[in-house]
Amino acid sequence: MDRRQAYERNVLSSFARLAGRRAPGISDDEHDGEVRAQAIFYNALDHFRTKVADAAPLTELRRGALDDLLAGLADTTPDRRAWDEAIAEARRYG
C-alpha cells in the first residue's frame, strides 16, 4: 500500500469511527478463523508437550535432546496474549 492509499484508508477509517461504525477490519470469518487457529495450535502444542514429557523419562539416550526440545518450544512458541492483541488490532483497524 502506498502512502496515498494509506492516507485515504486512514481518513475513511476516521470518518467511519466518527459515524459510530466499526472501522474496516478483518471480517467475522477471518476473526473466527484466527480464533480457531489459536485453539487448534495451543491444543496440539499442549498435547505434544505432554507426550514428549511422558517419553523423556523412558530414555537415557535421548532425554537431554527431549528436554532441549521442550525448552526450545517454550522459547519459540507464539505468545497467546500477543496473538489475541494482534487479532483485536486487526479487528479494529484492519
Side-chain angles (χ1 to χ4, degrees):
M1 176 181 308
D2 65 83
R3 289 176 53 185
R4 172 98 180 152
Q5 289 171 321
Y7 170 77
E8 289 170 354
R9 184 175 184 158
N10 187 30
V11 169
L12 289 174
S13 295
S14 296
F15 280 113
R17 283 191 297 277
L18 289 173
R21 297 187 325 240
R22 184 173 64 82
I26 62 174
S27 70
D28 291 342
D29 287 342
E30 290 170 317
H31 174 269
D32 294 347
E34 288 291 336
V35 172
R36 282 194 311 274
Q38 276 187 315
I40 291 167
F41 174 77
Y42 288 111
N43 184 28
L45 183 63
D46 289 343
H47 182 73
F48 181 73
R49 282 181 175 148
T50 298
K51 293 301 182 183
V52 172
D54 289 347
L58 302 174
T59 177
E60 290 297 321
L61 299 174
R62 302 307 299 162
R63 183 178 306 181
L66 295 179
D67 290 342
D68 290 346
L69 173 63
L70 290 173
L73 283 174
D75 291 341
T76 60
T77 298
D79 180 64
R80 186 185 293 257
R81 190 176 69 173
W83 197 345
D84 286 337
E85 290 171 0
I87 293 170
E89 185 74 13
R91 188 73 163 168
R92 279 192 293 277
Y93 302 111

